[in-house]
Amino acid sequence: MRLASLLHLLSQARAASGHSEFVVIGSLSILGMERFAPIPEGMSMSNGATIYTKADPERIFDLLPQLGEDSPFHLAHGIYLDGVSPDLPTLPDGWEARMIRQEHDGLVVWFLEPNDAAVSKLARRQANDMRWVREGVRAGLISAPMVRARFATTRFLDPDEERRAKQGLDSIMS
């Protein structure tokens, strides 16, 4: 997916919800960097945008019938909204202050900063998440030392999640 496709989806979300500020926290949060650096295909291949409305995060779930997976919008455009709670991902302290803010035709989009997204992905440690982090490090969009430093302020679900995240980063760097 590219930024233009995401903005089209968010324009539809604005029309359906009346909200104009959205937070993008999943893999496609990397699109916040599109204006500044080339985005590797392996980081933007998702067709589901993990998003919540900034002012009323729970409101995003009302949009899933129109814009979610298998919705008419998804079937017509190949992309969909994947609603999420801001409390779901494992993130380091201060992540909200580091978000990348962009304005586009009346939309305000907040993108999770790539190193913060990497912490969350390493905590999940699924194959697609590991690929995303690996591609980001290779492209210089993610800093392994920065991610390692952010582990220190991350509230992991449990010690096993923290251990797996650190091992995941180590495996990418070796």
Side-chain angles (χ1 to χ4, degrees), residues 17-45:
S17 70
H19 287 272
S20 60
E21 287 195 56
F22 298 90
V23 178
V24 182
I25 63 169
S27 296
L28 296 177
S29 63
I30 197 62
L31 296 178
M33 298 296 293
E34 188 175 282
R35 292 180 168 179
F36 311 110
I39 306 299
E41 186 176 326
M43 293 184 85
S44 63
M45 52 195 300

Side-chain angles (χ1 to χ4, degrees), residues 101-116:
R101 182 183 189 275
Q102 293 186 17
E103 292 187 39
H104 302 274
D105 296 325
L107 286 170
V108 178
V109 187
W110 299 85
F111 296 92
L112 190 59
E113 191 272 335
N115 293 297
D116 290 332

Side-chain angles (χ1 to χ4, degrees), residues 16-149:
S17 70
H19 287 272
S20 60
E21 287 195 56
F22 298 90
V23 178
V24 182
I25 63 169
S27 296
L28 296 177
S29 63
I30 197 62
L31 296 178
M33 298 296 293
E34 188 175 282
R35 292 180 168 179
F36 311 110
I39 306 299
E41 186 176 326
M43 293 184 85
S44 63
M45 52 195 300
S46 177
N47 61 352
T50 309
I51 296 170
Y52 63 88
T53 47
K54 189 156 176 46
D56 182 8
E58 297 303 313
R59 177 74 166 105
I60 202 70
F61 298 106
D62 295 341
L63 303 177
L64 296 182
Q66 299 154 283
L67 302 171
E69 191 168 18
D70 297 326
S71 68
F73 185 88
H74 179 205
L75 297 175
H77 299 281
I79 60 174
Y80 64 92
L81 187 141
D82 186 10
V84 68
S85 165
D87 300 323
L88 179 66
T90 300
L91 291 167
D93 288 347
W95 66 271
E96 291 171 300
R98 290 187 294 269
M99 287 192 295
I100 300 163
R101 182 183 189 275
Q102 293 186 17
E103 292 187 39
H104 302 274
D105 296 325
L107 286 170
V108 178
V109 187
W110 299 85
F111 296 92
L112 190 59
E113 191 272 335
N115 293 297
D116 290 332
V119 168
S120 180
K121 291 190 160 299
L122 288 163
R124 287 179 36 143
R125 201 159 173 206
Q126 294 182 0
N128 61 324
D129 295 319
M130 296 300 289
R131 181 198 69 242
W132 189 93
V133 174
R134 188 175 296 107
E135 292 278 333
V137 168
R138 192 174 299 139
L141 294 168
I142 294 171
S143 163
M146 181 66 66
V147 171
R148 194 173 309 281

